[in-house]
Amino acid sequence: MKDRSKLIHGLVVIACSGLLLLPVSVKALIIQYNDLADFSLGTVVTNDFESDVRDLPEFSFDSTSQIILSSSSTSGVTSSGTHVLMESRDDAPLNVFLNLDAQEVGFYFGNDDPGFGGFNALLNIYDATDNLLGGVSLNTNNNDYADQFLGLYSDTPFRRVEVLYTNASASLAIDDFSIGTASVPEPSSILLMGIGLAGLGLARRRKRA
């Protein structure tokens, strides 16, 4: 009887341990954006890829991505110039790794040649422990211009962005990649605010006296 109890106890411990190893599903409130003008948080950082600099202090891209002339992947110029960022691997997502918490992200995308047929562009976001928070998608217009915008707002901060096409034959090309973060007061501003509140409290005490 004791052996049976030990066996049951052991199975329960193993089962609980297995549950702890299962992926955690985290969901955030997601609002899809249709334009960069939809960004409403305090700070927006954008890379238009015109300076031939792929990675910024705020975020970096997969090493397999490269800045190329937009004429090599899309028809004509883009909304910001003549260059885009392209993922060189077919049928592979483009990952963006953030060095700070962001709640907004968006970009223009192209290389949706009519010959590829209709497909979707997908945008997914992940938190600091790489749990999927959610995502949005958009049907391509298949005009080969980098003229469609895909973006979102999340009520939960994220640290990784994943972009991909549902058509394995189309290489991903994006432009004007942007993230939005909530403004955080500078330490000096916080100090001045504290001094002001302390002064206001002292004035009220004197008035009562």
Side-chain angles (χ1 to χ4, degrees):
M1 189 71 175
K2 289 183 179 179
D3 292 340
R4 184 178 181 183
S5 298
K6 289 181 179 180
L7 177 60
I8 294 174
H9 176 73
L11 291 174
V12 170
V13 170
I14 293 172
C16 291
S17 300
L19 288 174
L20 292 175
L21 295 175
L22 291 175
V24 179
S25 178
V26 181
K27 295 298 181 182
L29 171 65
I30 303 293
I31 299 174
Q32 186 158 350
Y33 281 175
N34 299 311
D35 193 271
L36 187 57
D38 292 333
F39 278 52
S40 59
L41 297 181
T43 303
V44 177
V45 180
T46 300
N47 190 346
D48 61 10
F49 309 114
E50 293 304 315
S51 62
D52 203 32
V53 175
R54 184 187 64 189
D55 300 331
L56 299 181
E58 294 82 3
F59 52 79
S60 59
F61 297 86
D62 277 328
S63 60
T64 50
S65 63
Q66 56 185 330
I67 297 174
I68 63 173
L69 286 171
S70 57
S71 58
S72 300
S73 62
T74 64
S75 300
V77 298
T78 69
S79 59
S80 62
T82 58
H83 292 78
V84 295
L85 182 74
M86 172 167 276
E87 171 55 59
S88 61
R89 300 169 298 168
D90 290 336
D91 195 21
L94 171 65
N95 289 290
V96 191
F97 305 95
L98 312 186
N99 297 320
L100 73 175
D101 289 337
Q103 289 182 258
E104 295 175 308
V105 61
F107 53 87
Y108 290 94
F109 67 89
N111 196 36
D112 51 340
D113 191 282
F116 291 137
F119 58 93
N120 293 337
L122 308 179
L123 166 60
N124 297 319
I125 55 172
Y126 297 79
D127 66 13
T129 54
D130 218 33
N131 295 308
L132 176 64
L133 296 175
V136 294
S137 65
L138 187 66
N139 293 326
T140 59
N141 58 17
N142 298 109
N143 66 0
D144 205 30
Y145 286 88
D147 60 345
Q148 287 183 273
F149 187 87
L150 182 59
L152 62 79
Y153 162 83
S154 168
D155 69 339
T156 303
F158 53 87
R159 282 299 188 98
R160 181 168 74 88
V161 175
E162 178 187 57
V163 186
L164 64 156
Y165 287 161
T166 57
N167 187 324
S169 300
S171 298
L172 179 66
I174 66 170
D175 193 29
D176 297 338
F177 181 87
S178 305
I179 60 169
T181 62
S183 294
V184 178
E186 295 291 333
S188 57
S189 301
I190 297 175
L191 178 61
L192 290 173
M193 185 183 298
I195 294 173
L197 291 174
L200 181 61
L202 182 61
R204 286 180 175 175
R205 287 183 181 178
R206 287 180 178 176
K207 188 175 181 180
R208 289 176 182 173

